[in-house]
Amino acid sequence: MNARRAARGLSLHAVVWLIGAFVVVPLIYAVISGFKSTGELTTNPFGLPEHWKTGNYTGILGDGMFWRQIANSAGIAIGTTCCTVAASAMAAFVLARYAFRGRELFYALFTIGLMFPFAVAVLPLFLLLRNFDLLDNPLGVILPQAAFGLPMTIIILRGFFRTIPAEVEEAAIMDGCGKFRFFWKILLPMARPALGTVSVLAIVASWNNFFLPLLVFNDPKWQTIPVGVQQFQGQYSTDYALVLAYIVLAMVPALAFYAVAERQLIGGLTAGATKG
């Protein structure tokens, strides 16, 4: 019995290490390859560089366009997160704490949004943005991203809001607290773990979005970092080492953010799962 349990534990550890290697090895390969020249990368793709060429990285870090793309991605991610969380929190509050006819129908309509692929909405969305003069405008990316982020965010927040006891709301009302004040002063602070989780999810989704910024922005000054990677790859398609260095540097902000927010993300999801 003990031998079988030890073998099962060993196999699980092997699977975890295999999955970890599947993720980490390409990252390490890209980082090391960025220190090579393209000729060396071709002749010696898997070895260490003979001469560590730091110019690929320093050249990109000295390029103002790279930092502009980082700033554009960060600004759009923050704007999207604020719009998504604010609208979702108010909608989830109503759907969780008020009993009215058609409440479940409204909730079902929001959940149906999860099955609505973005690609289907490309043409009408583009025409709508053009009519409202939102092309080459950050709002043309922020507002659609917020709209597509509403279903998942409302589902998470509604589940969390419903776990807060009704006695808390009744006590607040008896102390003279109105509905909005209860929502702003009591409910939102109590839902801080869930709000942190949905904020992290919204930022990650916005940062990784490639198709919508490509659709909306024609002016290079508004390009985000995923679009910048694609443009850079097209411009230096034969300089593989330089392209790999650009991809590595483009990943650094996302990896750093995830390293900081990972505990908040996992903690919020776990809290929602146990309370829901």
Side-chain angles (χ1 to χ4, degrees):
M1 188 69 179
N2 290 333
R4 184 181 299 176
R5 186 176 299 174
R8 183 181 298 175
L10 187 63
S11 62
L12 288 176
H13 279 84
V15 170
V16 170
W17 277 100
L18 184 63
I19 295 174
F22 189 74
V23 174
V24 172
V25 168
L27 291 176
I28 296 175
Y29 176 78
V31 171
I32 294 177
S33 298
F35 286 101
K36 297 178 179 178
S37 64
T38 297
E40 187 179 3
L41 183 61
T42 305
T43 57
N44 182 25
F46 299 109
L48 293 175
E50 290 186 10
H51 303 287
W52 293 77
K53 184 181 178 182
T54 58
N56 288 339
Y57 289 104
T58 56
I60 295 169
L61 291 175
D63 186 0
M65 182 56 74
F66 174 76
W67 294 108
R68 177 184 286 273
Q69 291 165 357
I70 293 287
N72 289 340
S73 288
I76 289 173
I78 293 171
T80 299
T81 303
C82 291
C83 292
T84 305
V85 175
S88 299
M90 290 187 283
F93 172 63
V94 173
L95 293 172
R97 313 295 298 194
Y98 286 86
F100 57 92
R101 182 177 297 176
R103 182 180 69 171
E104 296 305 318
L105 176 62
F106 280 112
Y107 181 65
L109 289 176
F110 279 117
T111 58
I112 289 174
L114 289 174
M115 296 180 285
F116 193 69
F118 174 74
V120 175
V122 168
L123 181 58
L125 180 61
F126 179 80
L127 296 176
L128 192 65
L129 294 175
R130 189 180 63 180
N131 290 338
F132 282 97
D133 198 21
L134 289 177
L135 297 178
D136 278 332
N137 187 326
L139 288 177
V141 175
I142 291 173
L143 296 179
Q145 284 187 158
F148 278 94
L150 285 178
M152 178 58 72
T153 311
I154 288 176
I155 289 172
I156 294 174
L157 291 182
R158 186 195 190 225
F160 201 92
F161 288 169
R162 295 185 75 172
T163 64
I164 296 175
E167 289 78 5
V168 175
E169 184 175 358
E170 291 171 0
I173 292 174
M174 289 180 67
D175 288 340
C177 190
K179 292 287 185 182
F180 180 78
R181 194 174 176 188
F182 167 75
F183 168 73
W184 184 254
K185 294 285 188 181
I186 299 175
L187 192 67
L188 288 185
M190 293 181 71
R192 196 172 298 165
L195 293 174
T197 300
V198 295
S199 298
V200 172
L201 292 175
I203 288 176
V204 172
S206 173
W207 188 274
N208 292 329
N209 196 344
F210 168 76
F211 196 52
L212 187 57
L214 182 67
L215 179 73
V216 173
F217 296 139
N218 289 319
D219 192 337
K221 75 177 184 179
W222 293 114
Q223 285 178 350
T224 58
I225 195 67
V227 179
V229 170
Q230 190 261 348
Q231 296 290 339
F232 192 85
Q233 187 177 2
Q235 188 176 356
Y236 299 96
S237 58
T238 58
D239 196 342
Y240 304 125
L242 188 61
V243 171
L244 284 172
Y246 198 96
I247 292 173
V248 169
L249 291 176
M251 288 191 299
V252 168
L255 293 175
F257 174 75
Y258 185 77
V260 173
E262 179 262 345
R263 183 170 297 180
Q264 174 65 54
L265 178 62
I266 302 300
L269 289 175
T270 305
T274 54
K275 289 186 178 182

